Amino acid sequence: MISKQQCWHPSRAAALAQLEQFVANAGSRYASQRNFDHGQSRHYSVSTLSPWIRHRSITEEEVIAAVLKQHSRTAADKFIQEVFWRTYWKGWLEARPQVWHNYRADVSAFYRESPETIRQCDAATSAGTGIECFDTWCKELVATGYLHNHARMWFASIWIFTLQLPWQMGADFFLRHLLDGDPASNTLSWRWVAGLHTTGKTYLARPENIEKYTGGRFSPTGQLSSTAHALTETPIGDKTELPVSSEITPDKTTGLLITEDDLCIDHLLKEAASHKLNVASVATLQTTALRSPAAVSDNATNFVQQLMKDCTTTQFNVRIDAAIDAISINSSKTPVAQVVNWASKNNLQQVVTAYAPTGPTAELIADIKLALNRQDVQLLSSVRQWDEKIWPHSSRGFFALKKKIPQLLDQLYPTQTSAIQQSLPF
Ligand SMILES: Cc1cc2nc3c(=O)[nH]c(=O)nc-3n(C[C@H](O)[C@H](O)[C@H](O)COP(=O)(O)OP(=O)(O)OC[C@H]3O[C@@H](n4cnc5c(N)ncnc54)[C@H](O)[C@@H]3O)c2cc1C
């Protein structure tokens, strides 16, 4: 079967090793096997790459480049589509940040005002529902920080339609525990299951489907709701303009701000080189703690912390000649003031960062930008070409984007031996 990787070492080297191991199976085998969930430590049918891709320790672009080196587009069609789902969700939310803000407000309100709901959610997630599959997935998620995609869909459906708990609190449980916890993929997938994304179309977890795709490990016959009525909400407002990269001024004393939303530094280094920036300092900003008003799991927090350390120690030290004053900012301690101090200590004239998509990092960056502006320091964001090209096609249903995938691949991979492929060590 497919991959043997079952734990997620927090480094780019580990991500590349996992990609190398998986890539031969990204063709027809992935297409036919991907729906099978073999259980904890047995996720042979999928890549298990998401904890790294989520933080861009390896990028979507690199993953697809590696796949296209070994498979035709047709053979890898299903895998490529799945990677595009990640970008689709991000682009969709980027155009409608209100959906994220509403979700955040709802979660905060539940924690503040509904102790009984919180008690019910805690009881469900303490593996005490008596629905064996659901209780097992709770344990797996808490223990490992990962669930198979099919398990995530079944879990969300049981949460909403069988246990009748608020989708927002299920999404919050996921976001606090998933190593790949992602504002767009998580919030919008939960909404998709609830019938809020494709209005009126819900996902119902069926016992026979669970039995089949867990290889008979579970058989929840008679325990699950047999109906799934779509949830409703007040209509979302108008779409927002998509972001564009800021104009970066050459020759200025510059700080690079690395966030957990983009840990592959090639992009920023290219910006620095093409604008002849004098990079005086590098800072890292970890925002994992901001995923929820409640505590985020140690698994997720430590994974991201180590990934960020790996980024500065293994990527920057070998790629930048100038001395680096790398600092870590712990978001629980006045992060805005810490970034301002960092900029002032290094006499920075501008700070350049990879664009942070809608989510906790983007919220914090907005505050940091205002505070830096007050000190006459500009904060400039650079949007990756990948996002810039795909997001404009992500504002409707996925199938509108799917139709554009061949054309987008032509643009993103003009030759089979693009520079990105050459940078991969295999
Ligand atoms: C309720 C629910 C919540 C989810 N929450 C998250 C989340 O917080 N973070 C997250 O990264 N994904 C989330 N997903 C999407 C998906 O389940 C995971 O990305 C996938 O399971 C990751 O495992 P993998 O790397 O082995 O995937 P593979 O099947 O090997 O897929 C390869 C890559 O494609 C992307 N991908 C695959 N399926 C999806 C999908 N449905 N949506 C978006 N991208 C996808 C991922 O980058 C993944 O690494 C959620 C799905 C559901 C149903």
Side-chain angles (χ1 to χ4, degrees):
M1 288 294 268
I2 303 188
S3 139
K4 289 202 293 290
Q5 195 281 328
Q6 297 306 335
C7 66
W8 292 269
H9 184 73
S11 70
R12 175 168 160 83
L16 289 168
Q18 175 58 16
L19 175 60
E20 182 178 13
Q21 189 183 40
F22 168 76
V23 80
N25 303 303
S28 57
R29 199 187 290 191
Y30 176 81
S32 65
Q33 300 296 308
R34 58 179 281 274
N35 279 331
F36 286 92
D37 176 2
H38 302 287
Q40 184 172 336
S41 305
R42 295 172 55 82
H43 292 298
Y44 307 131
S45 60
V46 287
S47 73
T48 65
L49 284 167
S50 58
W52 295 291
I53 306 179
R54 148 68 178 97
H55 300 99
R56 284 194 163 151
S57 280
I58 44 171
T59 63
E60 298 87 329
E61 199 167 356
E62 288 178 302
V63 170
I64 292 184
V67 166
L68 289 176
K69 249 178 159 178
Q70 292 197 26
H71 302 275
S72 69
R73 284 187 190 176
T74 313
D77 183 45
K78 196 67 207 166
F79 184 80
I80 292 170
Q81 270 178 42
E82 292 307 314
V83 176
F84 269 78
W85 268 104
R86 168 177 298 283
T87 313
Y88 165 73
W89 290 132
K90 276 168 130 177
W92 194 95
L93 194 61
E94 211 49 43
R96 299 169 186 84
Q98 195 56 44
V99 170
W100 168 253
H101 300 312
N102 292 348
Y103 158 77
R104 293 284 263 184
D106 290 347
V107 170
S108 294
F110 277 118
Y111 278 116
R112 224 179 26 243
E113 295 159 16
S114 308
E116 179 52 21
T117 306
I118 300 300
R119 196 198 57 71
Q120 288 168 355
C121 294
D122 286 348
T125 55
S126 308
T129 65
I131 303 170
E132 192 193 350
C133 52
F134 184 91
D135 293 347
T136 303
W137 295 322
C138 284
K139 286 187 202 147
E140 179 179 354
L141 177 55
V142 171
T144 68
Y146 178 87
L147 281 183
H148 184 282
N149 180 58
H150 223 158
R152 297 183 200 207
M153 288 162 61
W154 294 320
F155 185 110
S157 180
I158 294 170
W159 180 278
I160 297 167
F161 302 116
T162 300
L163 302 175
Q164 309 246 314
L165 292 168
W167 72 267
Q168 295 93 330
M169 295 312 295
D172 178 69
F173 176 62
F174 269 26
L175 208 51
R176 287 189 289 117
H177 288 278
L178 283 169
L179 302 186
D180 64 28
D182 178 81
S185 287
N186 192 54
T187 314
L188 300 180
S189 297
W190 274 86
R191 288 171 55 83
W192 176 84
V193 171
L196 294 167
H197 184 74
T198 314
T199 310
K201 190 168 173 281
T202 54
Y203 176 76
L204 178 66
R206 295 181 192 279
E208 55 278 21
N209 182 269
I210 294 175
E211 189 168 347
K212 173 175 174 190
Y213 287 105
T214 59
R217 284 183 299 125
F218 303 113
S219 182
T221 306
Q223 289 190 294
L224 308 186
S225 171
S226 56
T227 54
H229 298 298
L231 305 188
T232 54
E233 64 182 3
T234 49
I236 304 156
D238 291 341
K239 285 190 243 171
T240 307
E241 293 278 308
L242 291 173
V244 289
S245 290
S246 322
E247 284 292 325
I248 296 175
T249 318
D251 300 323
K252 283 202 171 177
T253 307
T254 303
L256 300 184
L257 184 62
I258 311 300
T259 74
E260 65 185 70
D261 286 14
D262 196 324
L263 295 175
C264 191
I265 59 161
D266 280 44
H267 173 61
L268 283 188
L269 292 187
K270 269 188 210 141
E271 291 285 13
S274 70
H275 292 91
K276 298 190 173 52
L277 300 181
N278 164 24
V279 177
S281 184
V282 177
T284 55
L285 178 65
Q286 182 173 6
T287 49
T288 326
L290 303 179
R291 286 185 190 183
S292 167
V296 175
S297 74
D298 288 347
N299 269 351
T301 305
N302 295 339
F303 178 77
V304 178
Q305 190 178 28
Q306 292 304 315
L307 264 190
M308 299 194 85
K309 202 163 164 197
D310 173 73
C311 171
T312 50
T313 55
T314 65
Q315 291 195 64
F316 270 114
N317 287 352
V318 293
R319 306 287 288 284
I320 281 194
D321 288 340
I324 300 163
D325 177 18
I327 56 168
S328 259
I329 299 161
N330 180 340
S331 52
S332 62
K333 291 188 230 144
T334 59
V336 176
Q338 287 188 66
V339 177
V340 171
N341 289 344
W342 163 69
S344 138
K345 189 181 86 181
N346 292 285
N347 298 316
L348 302 181
Q349 295 171 296
Q350 64 186 5
V351 171
V352 176
T353 191
Y355 180 78
T358 302
T361 306
E363 286 167 353
L364 185 56
I365 293 279
D367 292 344
I368 289 172
K369 186 173 182 164
L370 288 176
L372 285 173
N373 279 352
R374 285 196 285 272
Q375 310 295 318
D376 279 335
V377 180
Q378 280 189 302
L379 189 139
L380 308 169
S381 302
S382 174
V383 185
R384 278 182 185 270
Q385 178 192 233
W386 179 268
D387 298 329
E388 224 166 42
K389 290 215 178 300
I390 302 176
W391 285 353
H393 303 288
S394 303
S395 66
R396 294 184 291 135
F398 179 76
F399 293 95
L401 171 61
K402 191 177 145 187
K403 277 198 231 142
K404 296 276 175 194
I405 292 178
Q407 187 187 320
L408 287 164
L409 291 179
D410 289 342
Q411 290 172 23
L412 291 159
Y413 303 97
T415 61
Q416 277 303 95
T417 51
S418 66
I420 290 157
Q421 279 173 291
Q422 285 162 11
S423 77
L424 289 167
F426 55 90

